[in-house]
Amino acid sequence: MTHHVLDMPITEARARELKAGDTVTLEKTLFGIRDATLIAMFDRGRTTRLNMKGHAVIHTAPNVRKVDPRPENSSGYEPLCIGTTTSMRMERFTRPLMEREGVRLIIGKGGMGQGTLDAFREIGGAYLAVVGGAAALQTTWIEAIEEVDFDDLNPESLWKFRIKDFGPLLVTMDSHGNSLHAQVNADAAARRAAVLASIGAA
Amino acid sequence: MQLDLKEVEELAKTLYIRALKLLPPDIKQGFERLMREETDTTGKAILGTMVANIAVAERTRNLLCQDTGIPIYNVTIGRNVAFDGAGMKEAIRHGCERATKEHPLRSSVVHPITRKNEQTSCGPGVPLINVDFDTRDETVEIEMIPKGSGSENGSFLQMLIPADGVNAVKRFVIDRVIECGGRVCPPTIVGVGIGGTSDLCMHLAKVAATRPLGTTCKDDEGAKIEAQLSQAVNELGIGPQGLGGRSTSFRVHVEVAATHITMNPVAVNIQCHSARRASAVITPGGIAFA
């Protein structure tokens, strides 16, 4: 198991170096994206001026405060509380996000499905698990909100965060077909019969 | 006692913000127990991060979780309280809206069809305001629960039939916990409703999911199932965040209601590890936070 410090953006080769069980800390830039953002982009044909090529996205919709744009918060928003949400709802958007926008890494909680795992293998990417419900801590890893697009979708806009020491995150799905989520799920399914027998409900 | 609506509005605002920032003592104690019992390395590390987050939230006076949830207010009115009921509901709604705008908080509430967000945490039927009555003299209790959506999406109802028996009820709970895996932000409180009508059954599951840790089902048969299922779910190996370990749930809570001779309903509603709630009691002496 290796710890990787990644200065974002990264190349396909670097994304493929990440293996399930490794840990990662991200530096510089991270994009925030969510259900409504992805529906707007891929179901309704909206395009963004922000360049996500080689970047990481976190499934999030932050708590923010509107402020006068200043160098430290050039988007006009100050971060208040930023964490993550359940990734699985956004499963069908992984491939278009990678193909059209060039995204390499997805951060969220709960893991994603086979479609995402296939996209990672074919295009080169990974899923990094961040602890859900630990947003107060994760907010301390975010320095500023640099840019925002799709402002009308607030809080489900497309956010560009400036980050420092964002992690450690756990690689739970990689480009080599490994998913720790699928492993745990299969394990739980295998234990089902014995667990039901133990409470007389087999 | 005459219920002061300005006081109710202010309290509805304060309780929403308080609930989002301070985890109740019973949940913190629940984390301590899970930390002692967890054997999986990843599971232990994740629990450690969750505990660290509780401390960071308190130190930085920040929200525990980014999800401000669907706001729920449970109001319990005692004896000898005079109140304007419609005004009380309006005051709670205003307090909820003010918390959102004045803190500010992320409004997580949208119209279900247009998906329009009014940026107030309010909308048709939201906040949920449940009103009940008890025997305490000159006392009004307000409990606020910002119910997180990741775990709320782990909600299920099955209208089983009598021939399926209680074993089908148990299987249903275990199967839904397996199905949810890490998506509902484990370690969870699994709320189970048994009996009633379909809507009552679902409501019982919510009451169970938001009941304090350390409390047990008042129905003896329900309490037995609660104890069995609590042990069983932690043998599945799902663990914190669904990444393996013993700590799938703090506890399974069961609530029971009578049902029809033809029916055997079961419902599941899950509460995430950020099991937030805040409450306060209004009496002639003033306001006391729990």
Side-chain angles (χ1 to χ4, degrees):
Chain A
M1 276 177 253
T2 312
H3 182 70
H4 308 261
V5 178
L6 301 179
D7 268 339
M8 302 310 293
I10 57 167
T11 62
E12 178 186 342
R14 191 74 180 98
R16 288 190 184 276
E17 283 169 19
L18 305 179
K19 305 268 162 51
D22 288 355
T23 51
V24 172
T25 301
L26 300 182
E27 301 292 352
K28 288 183 183 164
T29 302
L30 172 64
F31 288 87
I33 207 158
R34 178 116 178 182
D35 309 63
T37 337
L38 292 161
I39 290 165
M41 289 172 73
F42 300 109
D43 291 350
R44 302 198 174 137
R46 286 179 71 171
T47 54
T48 177
R49 58 185 162 76
L50 301 182
N51 179 6
M52 291 189 277
K53 195 171 182 330
H55 277 287
V57 298
I58 182 168
H59 290 142
T60 189
N63 288 260
V64 295
R65 179 187 283 123
K66 225 174 161 80
V67 292
D68 291 331
R70 276 170 271 156
E72 65 269 27
N73 280 307
S74 45
S75 64
Y77 288 100
E78 173 185 77
L80 294 184
C81 185
I82 301 179
T84 195
T85 189
T86 310
S87 296
M88 197 58 195
R89 294 194 310 273
M90 289 157 275
E91 169 71 5
R92 71 180 170 91
F93 298 112
T94 300
R95 184 175 286 275
L97 200 52
M98 294 182 75
E99 282 176 349
R100 192 176 105 183
E101 303 294 335
V103 165
R104 288 282 170 210
L105 305 175
I106 293 179
I107 301 168
K109 73 173 167 89
M112 301 187 78
Q114 190 60 45
T116 292
L117 204 55
D118 292 343
F120 287 160
R121 196 176 49 234
E122 288 164 37
I123 308 168
Y127 182 86
L128 315 177
V130 65
V131 175
L137 175 66
Q138 288 140 17
T139 303
T140 65
W141 305 341
I142 293 190
E143 289 190 323
I145 301 175
E146 291 184 334
E147 290 194 73
V148 61
D149 201 5
F150 309 146
D151 199 22
D152 56 305
L153 300 180
N154 182 298
E156 299 182 78
S157 312
L158 177 56
W159 305 92
K160 185 182 180 188
F161 304 119
R162 190 172 75 234
I163 53 169
K164 188 167 167 48
D165 304 336
F166 196 96
L169 311 169
L170 181 65
V171 181
T172 55
M173 297 169 70
D174 64 22
S175 61
H176 312 282
N178 301 305
S179 166
L180 301 185
H181 305 279
Q183 253 173 48
V184 171
N185 293 348
D187 191 32
R191 293 181 190 209
R192 176 183 180 271
V195 167
L196 289 177
S198 76
I199 52 172
Chain B
M1 180 177 85
Q2 176 73 42
L3 189 62
D4 179 345
L5 297 185
K6 276 316 285 180
E7 206 166 74
V8 169
E9 179 180 320
E10 207 57 40
L11 193 54
K13 176 194 159 187
T14 306
L15 285 174
Y16 193 177
I17 296 168
R18 211 177 150 89
L20 292 171
K21 295 186 174 185
L22 301 169
L23 212 54
D26 58 290
I27 308 297
K28 289 189 190 176
Q29 285 158 18
F31 269 114
E32 285 170 21
R33 177 172 58 82
L34 293 183
M35 286 284 276
R36 283 195 302 273
E37 293 169 3
E38 185 55 70
T39 50
D40 184 271
T41 315
T42 304
K44 233 180 161 68
I46 293 171
L47 290 174
T49 301
M50 291 168 177
V51 170
N53 181 67
I54 297 167
V56 173
E58 286 180 9
R59 197 177 66 238
T60 59
R61 298 177 185 203
N62 203 350
L63 316 184
L64 289 147
C65 176
Q66 72 163 358
D67 187 4
T68 49
I70 290 224
I72 302 173
Y73 290 88
N74 295 320
V75 185
T76 311
I77 297 168
R79 284 179 169 150
N80 298 311
V81 179
F83 65 100
D84 163 9
M88 182 188 75
K89 290 174 95 170
E90 200 51 38
I92 290 172
R93 198 181 170 88
H94 275 146
C96 179
E97 186 170 338
R98 279 183 51 212
T100 309
K101 287 183 168 166
E102 292 172 22
H103 182 276
L105 303 171
R106 180 186 91 177
S107 170
S108 307
V109 173
V110 294
H111 187 280
I113 299 165
T114 65
R115 310 302 296 183
K116 187 172 176 352
N117 190 328
E118 302 291 348
Q119 307 295 342
T120 57
S121 300
C122 299
V126 175
L128 283 81
I129 302 172
N130 300 311
V131 180
D132 202 355
F133 304 92
D134 70 4
T135 57
R136 284 176 288 182
D137 198 48
E138 295 195 287
T139 303
V140 173
E141 181 171 354
I142 303 181
E143 178 185 49
M144 197 285 154
I145 298 170
K147 185 61 175 67
S149 68
S151 55
E152 188 67 10
N153 277 336
S155 300
F156 310 90
L157 172 73
Q158 178 81 50
M159 302 307 284
L160 294 166
I161 54 171
D164 294 327
V166 75
N167 283 348
V169 169
K170 295 181 195 171
R171 276 197 297 275
F172 182 77
V173 176
I174 296 295
D175 285 341
R176 297 297 75 74
V177 171
I178 293 174
E179 180 184 334
C180 288
R183 297 208 290 269
V184 287
C185 241
T188 59
I189 300 169
V190 181
V192 179
I194 305 176
T197 53
S198 60
D199 56 331
L200 176 55
C201 193
M202 209 63 241
H203 182 68
L204 292 172
K206 170 65 87 307
V207 170
T210 55
R211 224 176 63 201
L213 291 174
T215 57
T216 44
C217 180
K218 290 191 181 78
D219 181 277
D220 289 344
E221 294 305 313
K224 280 185 208 163
I225 294 177
E226 197 170 80
Q228 278 188 340
L229 288 174
S230 292
Q231 179 112 39
V233 291
N234 286 345
E235 299 297 331
L236 291 168
I238 294 167
Q241 298 288 291
L243 287 167
R246 284 195 58 78
S247 316
T248 303
S249 295
F250 291 104
R251 184 99 184 136
V252 178
H253 283 171
V254 172
E255 288 289 316
V256 169
T259 193
H260 193 278
I261 48 173
T262 66
M263 287 162 56
N264 184 19
V266 55
V268 168
N269 178 255
I270 294 181
Q271 175 64 296
C272 59
H273 70 84
S274 201
R276 298 159 294 170
R277 50 174 217 280
S279 64
V281 168
I282 306 173
T283 61
I287 293 173
F289 289 94

